[in-house]
Amino acid sequence: MVVDKTNALLQVKGITVRFGGITALDNVSFDLPRDKVCGLIGPNGAGKTTLFNCLSRLYDYQEGDLLFEGQSITKTPVHQMTNIGIGRTFQNLAMFKTMTVQQNVMVGAHSKSSTGFIGGLLPSKKTRLEEQDLRDRADVLIERLKLSDVAHRAVGDLPFGYQKRVEFARALAAQPTLLLLDEPAAGLNHEELDDLAALIRLVRDEMGISVLLVEHHMQLVMAVSDWIVALNFGKKIAEGTPAEIQKHPEVIRAYLGGD
């Protein structure tokens, strides 16, 4: 696979991040094409989550630029990220545990709501219709992600694997063009990993959503990624297809050590 730079959904251009005297990312550049899964790999401390936090606008960067749909997102505030089409899951689950699965997924859908604070306090016919539309959208995702049987159960009462799927559904409810998945396989068993791989493929193939995946589970990364970018000590050391990355000497050295 050759990355078509004219069809890039996301362009990372020379991103450099410093925390005091520590350089967490050093002139990192790559492109993510549309409708593809890109794996972002590297040992602990390579800078993967730092880059995700830049893409989410949680971190500022001292040099470089991030282009999404050809437009810089450097000055985009955090609360606008879902509106421009970037969704995210996190390493640590942040569920509303006393709320139901349906209600949690609707939280994601509410990012597209036009109802303001006053409309929430004094609901009108328009507000109620919009709320029903968001509920219907959540129900479609709940069915697609095989959560219908637990839709009205409190999230906190569900096994960890189910909670991961709820977080995935909540991110999709915001209708992203790009989905950032931060270590989605953490804590999952073998069967749940297979379900996750199928879900990532569904997002790419049936929903037309591009995915940037940070993950330590190499079998999953190699199985679902169209393109992989490898980082080490804040620098990009390789990028290519899964087959190319598996035999790249710099990647092997970063994971296994040696000269």
Side-chain angles (χ1 to χ4, degrees):
M1 170 187 160
V2 177
V3 176
D4 181 0
K5 294 184 181 296
T6 64
N7 191 40
L9 175 67
L10 172 70
Q11 295 172 278
V12 178
K13 292 180 169 289
I15 293 297
T16 297
V17 176
R18 300 185 186 91
F19 300 112
I22 298 173
T23 300
L25 290 173
D26 187 359
N27 193 31
V28 173
S29 299
F30 64 90
D31 293 334
L32 192 159
R34 298 174 191 275
D35 305 328
K36 301 294 182 184
V37 176
C38 178
L40 185 63
I41 67 170
N44 287 331
K48 306 181 297 298
T49 297
T50 297
L51 180 58
F52 257 39
N53 286 338
C54 290
L55 289 167
S56 303
R57 301 308 303 118
L58 297 173
Y59 287 175
D60 289 326
Y61 33 93
Q62 286 73 47
E63 296 175 20
D65 201 358
L66 295 169
L67 303 183
F68 182 70
E69 300 274 18
Q71 301 296 316
S72 174
I73 62 172
T74 296
K75 297 186 182 299
T76 305
V78 174
H79 67 275
Q80 289 293 335
M81 295 308 294
T82 55
N83 289 335
I84 69 171
I86 298 179
R88 176 179 178 174
T89 65
F90 291 82
Q91 290 182 26
N92 299 315
L93 290 174
M95 299 281 97
F96 298 97
K97 293 191 175 183
T98 60
M99 292 167 54
T100 67
V101 169
Q102 184 190 61
Q103 290 168 337
N104 269 273
V105 178
M106 285 180 67
V107 168
H110 270 289
S111 66
K112 299 295 184 181
S113 170
S114 61
T115 299
F117 179 72
I118 300 299
L121 290 176
L122 304 170
S124 63
K125 180 180 179 181
K126 178 183 176 181
T127 301
R128 288 191 291 269
L129 287 173
E130 183 178 62
E131 187 77 2
Q132 183 59 52
D133 178 64
L134 297 180
R135 186 176 291 108
D136 292 343
R137 191 194 309 168
D139 287 343
V140 169
L141 285 169
I142 286 169
E143 183 175 358
R144 292 191 88 168
L145 272 66
K146 301 178 182 179
L147 291 165
S148 297
D149 291 345
V150 296
H152 299 292
R153 288 183 58 184
V155 168
D157 295 337
L158 299 177
F160 184 74
Y162 275 90
Q163 292 187 33
K164 281 271 192 174
R165 222 182 304 167
V166 174
E167 186 189 36
F168 208 120
R170 185 176 63 183
L172 292 174
Q175 299 177 318
T177 308
L178 170 63
L179 183 60
L180 309 176
L181 297 179
D182 195 354
E183 298 196 26
L188 300 184
N189 60 37
H190 184 74
E191 182 179 349
E192 290 167 341
L193 282 171
D194 290 341
D195 289 342
L196 175 61
L199 181 55
I200 293 172
R201 295 189 187 100
L202 179 147
V203 166
R204 176 193 62 194
D205 299 337
E206 298 184 25
M207 303 179 74
I209 298 173
S210 300
V211 176
L212 183 59
L213 168 69
V214 164
E215 184 53 66
H216 286 290
H217 196 288
M218 286 299 102
Q219 185 175 350
L220 175 68
V221 174
M222 297 299 168
V224 302
S225 298
D226 302 293
W227 193 253
I228 297 175
V229 175
L231 302 179
N232 195 26
F233 294 113
K235 295 184 177 182
K236 185 182 77 175
I237 57 173
E239 66 177 311
T241 64
E244 292 168 340
I245 290 297
Q246 287 184 68
K247 60 186 180 184
H248 195 287
E250 288 294 324
V251 175
I252 294 171
R253 187 176 298 115
Y255 276 96
L256 301 179
D259 295 331

